Amino acid sequence: MKIIKYIKIIPLALFLLLAGVSCDNGFDELAQNPNAPNDVPASFVLAGAQVDLSYQTSYQMGINYIGLWVQHHGSGEYPDEDQYSPRLNDINVYWNNIYDNALRDFKHILDVSESEGNVNQQAVAMIMSSYAYMSLADVWGDIPYTEALKGDDGISTPVFDTQQTVYEGIIADLNTATGLIVASRTDGFGSEDVMYGGDMDKWLRFGNSLRLRAFMHLSKVDPTTAEAGVVAMLSQPLISSQAENAAIQYSTTSGNKNPVHSRLVGRENDFRISASVATRMIGNGTSAAPQDPRLPVYAELNDANEYVGIPNGVASLAAIGLTNASSSKIGALYAADNAPAYFMTYAEVQFIRAEAAARGWIADDPATAYENAISASMEQNGVTDAAAITTFLASTGVAYNAGTALEQIATQKWIALYGQSIEAWTEWRRTGFPDIPVALNDQNGGVIPRRLMYGSVEATTNAANVTVASERQGGAELSNRVWWDN
């Protein structure tokens, strides 16, 4: 892993923005990598690290690759990624930017806060680092973890830890982080925290919820640990409302807009909603009046006032008899300049509770928990028509059925995770639901990708460790499975 040493200093304009003053410099600049002194205060680094991590996970990997593979959207303009043919340079960029930008900055925050005895700032750095490492492990499997970011210690070619080791470390770190939090202390972060504004109760809830997610990810490979962990975490303070969602809230101010906006609006023909999700949401309704009231939020009407998704992997829209005008582009809420970029939501917590109830791990009524989860997703997406929600919950294929409960929960969770591509992909791999087709014209032997291969830079500069990790996992190509997927 290439070791670069820099810290992003947050411009004064960000603080003006957070105070409600218009500015020209902001989130776009925070995703850049200017060289800066290594002894800057932790408060100057946090916002840049938060925004950079969001940029890489929700936009770079999310919209450009994984959202295609999990079939939330499709591409009629640039088919390579949608046909499972990733570009090696993209992989190099995503890997290096998460390690050398976001994670290095969070490590700086942790080092500074530990030296100053600031437990709340330590907790924030550990929670964000845990999210980053979980994202890396869920995408690549075995990754540098215990020896990562140790260039100053002379480690320029870190070993790749097993994904199991990474998960054990993440779960332990999140336990430590939430134990450090003292909400009554006033020496934590303030307005420079662009997620929670320094509200440590919300950080506690996010940290616990992230640990809940990690345990549920283990249900396939280690159901005993998964059950015990999920049950324990469901008794802790968790994200319990939309106001506690872990997210970057972008704005309409120039320079502080959601990067997805510039791609979907500036190049609006690049992506369309996938037929896989659109067809399921139309359900027993019609393409003009879908069964699921969230579809008008997820997608735009075409020129015939219908919702029409595109199959994944098409060579071009013309090849399937569609045009940009006759297919549905991504919905205005998700293409908005001030659209939030989510790390974790209240709806996801509710879906985990519903699955735990359906599995018999907890005593909650599974039907009620399932309906609460869908309702939370509706609320997140601005669907407020109570009658429409009630009708949807009682509709054919959606109404809770104990015999198909796990498939229903997984499918509705996949729909609810629209725009949160990495987690949606993780859940599809973990549960096997919904049943989505292999992309047309696929370049991966008829197999939907289950991991991302290692990049060419890592394979060259850290070849021995990449080889060991690849062989240990039975290969490290798109068709190979990560540890918790076995």
Side-chain angles (χ1 to χ4, degrees), residues 11-320:
L12 175 62
L14 175 63
F15 295 100
L16 296 177
L17 169 67
L18 294 169
V21 179
S22 178
C23 64
D24 293 325
N25 299 320
F27 288 154
D28 287 350
E29 291 190 359
L30 299 183
Q32 306 306 312
N33 306 317
N35 292 325
N38 200 31
D39 58 353
V40 297
S43 59
F44 282 22
V45 178
L46 178 63
Q50 290 173 323
V51 171
D52 195 58
L53 181 58
S54 169
Y55 181 82
Q56 298 303 326
T57 55
S58 69
Y59 173 61
Q60 292 282 57
M61 282 195 290
I63 193 76
N64 292 324
Y65 277 91
I66 296 174
L68 298 167
W69 295 350
V70 78
Q71 298 185 14
H72 278 170
H73 57 270
S75 177
E77 292 288 322
Y78 301 99
D80 288 358
E81 294 84 353
D82 206 3
Q83 295 172 0
Y84 316 147
S85 182
R87 306 165 198 266
L88 288 177
N89 186 59
D90 288 346
I91 298 173
N92 295 332
V93 169
Y94 304 158
W95 175 279
N96 286 337
N97 281 347
I98 294 178
Y99 271 110
D100 290 338
N101 292 7
L103 274 170
R104 186 165 295 283
D105 283 356
F106 290 129
K107 182 179 185 299
H108 174 80
I109 294 169
L110 183 60
D111 291 343
V112 171
S113 59
E114 284 180 339
S115 68
E116 295 176 349
N118 191 317
V119 292
N120 284 335
Q121 291 189 2
Q122 289 179 54
V124 169
M126 293 178 74
I127 292 168
M128 292 305 300
S129 294
S130 295
Y131 178 91
Y133 278 119
M134 194 185 304
S135 298
L136 286 163
D138 290 342
V139 171
W140 277 284
D142 294 4
I143 58 169
Y145 179 66
T146 56
E147 289 187 358
L149 309 177
K150 292 189 175 181
D152 290 343
D153 298 329
I155 299 176
S156 59
T157 55
V159 299
F160 281 55
D161 295 286
T162 66
Q163 190 184 34
Q164 180 176 1
T165 297
V166 176
Y167 258 74
E168 289 170 350
I170 288 169
I171 290 169
D173 282 349
L174 288 170
N175 182 51
T176 299
T178 53
L180 287 171
I181 292 174
V182 181
S184 61
R185 285 181 59 151
T186 59
D187 59 351
F189 292 109
S191 60
E192 64 272 10
D193 170 11
V194 296
M195 286 176 58
Y196 286 136
D199 187 329
M200 294 311 300
D201 179 67
K202 291 180 179 178
W203 277 106
L204 174 67
R205 292 175 180 276
F206 176 36
N208 284 335
S209 299
L210 195 56
R211 189 150 52 119
L212 174 70
R213 172 194 280 183
F215 279 122
M216 186 55 88
H217 283 180
L218 306 184
S219 67
K220 188 176 181 180
V221 70
D222 188 354
T224 300
T225 298
E227 177 180 357
V230 167
V231 170
M233 294 315 303
L234 285 172
S235 68
Q236 299 299 311
L238 301 168
I239 296 173
S240 60
S241 70
Q242 306 297 341
E244 295 167 356
N245 288 339
I248 300 293
Q249 182 59 63
Y250 290 90
S251 82
T252 59
T253 306
S254 177
N256 300 290
K257 298 178 180 181
N258 190 318
V260 174
H261 165 78
S262 62
R263 181 69 185 274
L264 295 184
V265 174
R267 297 169 57 179
E268 64 178 12
N269 293 332
D270 284 7
F271 298 110
R272 289 292 184 269
I273 191 168
S274 170
S276 288
V277 70
T279 300
R280 281 176 175 79
M281 297 180 80
I282 291 169
N284 296 313
T286 69
S287 56
Q291 179 182 14
D292 193 323
R294 289 168 294 185
L295 184 54
V297 182
Y298 286 9
E300 296 288 294
L301 289 164
N302 69 359
D303 59 353
N305 289 319
E306 295 178 324
Y307 296 100
V308 176
I310 68 171
N312 287 87
V314 297
S316 68
L317 292 182
I320 56 171

